[in-house]
Amino acid sequence: MQNYRKRAHLFICYYHYKLTMIRSLSTHSFLSSTIIFPLGRTTPLPSKVCKVCSFLHLGNWVKARTPVSTRTVSALMSSKSGIEQVLVENEVQQVRLLDSVNDDHGGVIVELSESMDSKVFASMLKASLALWRSQGKRGVWIKVPIELVNLVEAAVKEGFWFHHAEPKYLMLAFWIPEGVHTLPANASHRVGIGAFVMNKKREVLVVQEKSGIFRGTGVWKFPTGVVDEGEDIYAAAMREVKEETGIDTEFVEVLAFRQSHKSFFDKSDLFFVCMLRPLSFDIEKQESEIEDAQWMPWDEYVAQPFVQKHELMKHLVGICKAKEDEAYFGFSPVPITSRFSDQKSYLYVNDRDLKGSKVRMSQTA
């Protein structure tokens, strides 16, 4: 024990010498100021000698120095130097950290791009989690590109879960603090549109689909589709009409919208019924998805059993007819920017009634 105390004393002297050297280099940004106590623990381990390693952060590397006792660790916990402490089970080793950036909510984001062995990644992840825990970080996001799918299992074993997936990547999530996490859930809704397009002859643009629930039923329906990522509702409506029928249109209003649940892969659904004004009239149907398309007299469309038997369709028919009779007014897109972003977005409002009141729309919100 006396020999060990002597070794510890020598280490402390060496530590103070290194601290002086570090302070002389304090202008360098690569020196960290965080102390990591064994994987986030705040009390000494019960053993007489705690195998803890001294680390110096240089860029994204942590370099092991010398094992020290729990007494020495306790003394180092109040240090503000660039030396950090982290538990390594009975060995001293050099570990690289994961590249990360801070998010706006006290967490970190990691975007993997470098191919590596899953065991190497597991070591990097353990060391990084210890650092983030000591820094009081909260949520951890790891974006795994599809070509690095071999690293997913190692992250899951550390407690990460699947948050969402896109064609080219998988997003993993982890919550460091004790208790229930407050990370936002994956996107909960799919957004779709239905396009009500009527010409001056009171004929409505309708289609029959080659696939889906209406295939082979003989039902004539409005052109419909899903809003793409980053696409505005009004733009999606014009695009779907053009794709399915070849008709150019001008967006008029959102007439109504419906919310439903447990729809596409158990996601909720928002469906916007939009009115568009035709700018062309010669139909060119989409061969891949549309069986047929035509301009159908309004009364003939309404008389279909499908329309007459479904409560939703009855409501939509009533709204569309009231709009044509100028007895109903929907919501028109007003371009705006906000204090949070200069990117243009759209606020859908009943501008007819608004213009008739004392309230006036500003072009910025």
Side-chain angles (χ1 to χ4, degrees):
M1 179 60 72
Q2 185 175 1
N3 290 336
Y4 184 79
R5 288 176 179 173
K6 184 177 182 179
R7 288 176 57 196
H9 176 73
L10 290 174
F11 174 78
I12 293 173
C13 292
Y14 173 74
Y15 166 75
H16 283 295
Y17 165 75
K18 295 298 290 184
L19 178 58
T20 302
M21 297 297 294
I22 289 170
R23 284 173 177 167
S24 69
L25 298 173
S26 60
T27 56
H28 294 276
S29 61
F30 59 74
L31 294 176
S32 170
S33 61
T34 304
I35 298 296
I36 305 179
F37 192 69
L39 299 181
R41 300 178 64 157
T42 56
T43 55
L45 296 180
S47 59
K48 293 182 179 179
V49 177
C50 177
K51 279 284 188 174
V52 178
C53 305
S54 173
F55 284 85
L56 177 64
H57 272 249
L58 300 173
N60 290 323
W61 288 85
V62 285
K63 189 174 182 181
R65 294 297 185 187
T66 310
V68 298
S69 71
T70 52
R71 255 183 219 178
T72 308
V73 171
S74 179
L76 295 179
M77 282 296 293
S78 60
S79 170
K80 297 299 182 181
S81 73
I83 296 179
E84 300 192 350
Q85 308 299 322
V86 65
L87 176 66
V88 180
E89 294 182 3
N90 300 320
E91 63 179 10
V92 179
Q93 62 183 10
Q94 181 170 288
V95 182
R96 184 181 175 187
L97 297 175
L98 295 171
D99 291 327
S100 66
V101 296
N102 294 331
D103 64 20
D104 295 329
H105 306 282
V108 295
I109 302 172
V110 176
E111 293 196 23
L112 299 177
S113 59
E114 177 185 346
S115 297
M116 66 184 79
D117 181 81
S118 60
K119 292 182 179 179
V120 173
F121 171 70
S123 296
M124 294 172 65
L125 181 57
K126 287 177 185 292
S128 298
L129 284 172
L131 173 63
W132 298 328
R133 182 177 284 110
S134 75
Q135 293 174 335
K137 299 299 182 183
R138 292 156 58 83
V140 180
W141 304 91
I142 299 184
K143 185 178 181 180
V144 186
I146 194 170
E147 60 269 18
L148 300 183
V149 67
N150 65 302
L151 306 181
V152 171
E153 183 179 1
V156 171
K157 287 181 177 179
E158 288 298 320
F160 282 78
W161 66 86
F162 294 179
H163 185 268
H164 66 271
E166 295 293 340
K168 295 295 184 180
Y169 74 86
L170 173 67
M171 185 65 78
L172 302 175
F174 182 81
W175 187 248
I176 293 177
E178 297 290 338
V180 180
H181 77 81
T182 59
L183 296 176
N186 182 23
S188 59
H189 285 67
R190 184 179 67 161
V191 181
I193 62 92
F196 169 56
V197 186
M198 180 177 281
N199 61 24
K200 293 182 178 180
K201 300 178 182 179
R202 292 185 67 83
E203 295 173 330
V204 63
L205 184 63
V206 292
V207 299
Q208 288 184 336
E209 295 179 334
K210 284 186 175 181
S211 60
I213 61 174
F214 294 111
R215 177 185 177 183
T217 62
V219 170
W220 292 95
K221 57 184 283 292
F222 293 167
T224 58
V226 176
V227 179
D228 291 335
E229 181 179 354
E231 186 177 35
D232 293 303
I233 293 170
Y234 82 91
M238 293 189 296
R239 174 184 55 79
E240 285 291 349
V241 172
K242 180 67 174 179
E243 287 178 355
E244 294 189 1
T245 67
I247 298 296
D248 295 313
T249 58
E250 175 187 15
F251 186 85
V252 179
E253 292 175 349
V254 170
L255 298 179
F257 71 90
R258 177 214 63 192
Q259 181 186 30
S260 62
H261 305 289
K262 297 294 181 179
S263 178
F264 187 73
F265 288 104
D266 287 336
K267 294 294 183 181
S268 298
D269 185 85
L270 286 173
F271 183 74
F272 290 83
V273 181
C274 305
M275 180 178 181
L276 298 91
R277 184 178 296 111
L279 301 177
S280 64
F281 304 95
D282 295 331
I283 293 175
E284 295 181 12
K285 70 182 180 71
Q286 183 181 31
E287 293 296 334
S288 61
E289 296 184 12
I290 302 302
E291 186 68 37
D292 202 358
Q294 66 167 323
W295 291 103
M296 175 180 281
W298 175 251
D299 291 340
E300 186 177 338
Y301 169 78
V302 173
Q304 293 183 101
F306 168 74
V307 175
Q308 292 295 318
K309 292 180 180 179
H310 288 79
E311 185 178 10
L312 173 63
M313 296 307 301
K314 287 182 179 180
H315 280 293
L316 295 182
V317 164
I319 292 171
C320 293
K321 185 178 186 304
K323 176 60 185 178
E324 278 299 304
D325 295 339
E326 298 186 353
Y328 178 89
F329 296 91
F331 299 89
S332 301
V334 176
I336 62 169
T337 56
S338 75
R339 60 184 296 183
F340 305 108
S341 172
D342 292 332
Q343 184 177 355
K344 185 171 66 174
S345 59
Y346 291 89
L347 179 67
Y348 290 81
V349 300
N350 182 337
D351 59 351
R352 173 186 175 274
D353 290 344
L354 193 62
K355 289 174 182 177
S357 71
K358 295 181 180 180
V359 179
R360 291 291 181 268
M361 289 297 299
S362 171
Q363 291 303 303
T364 59

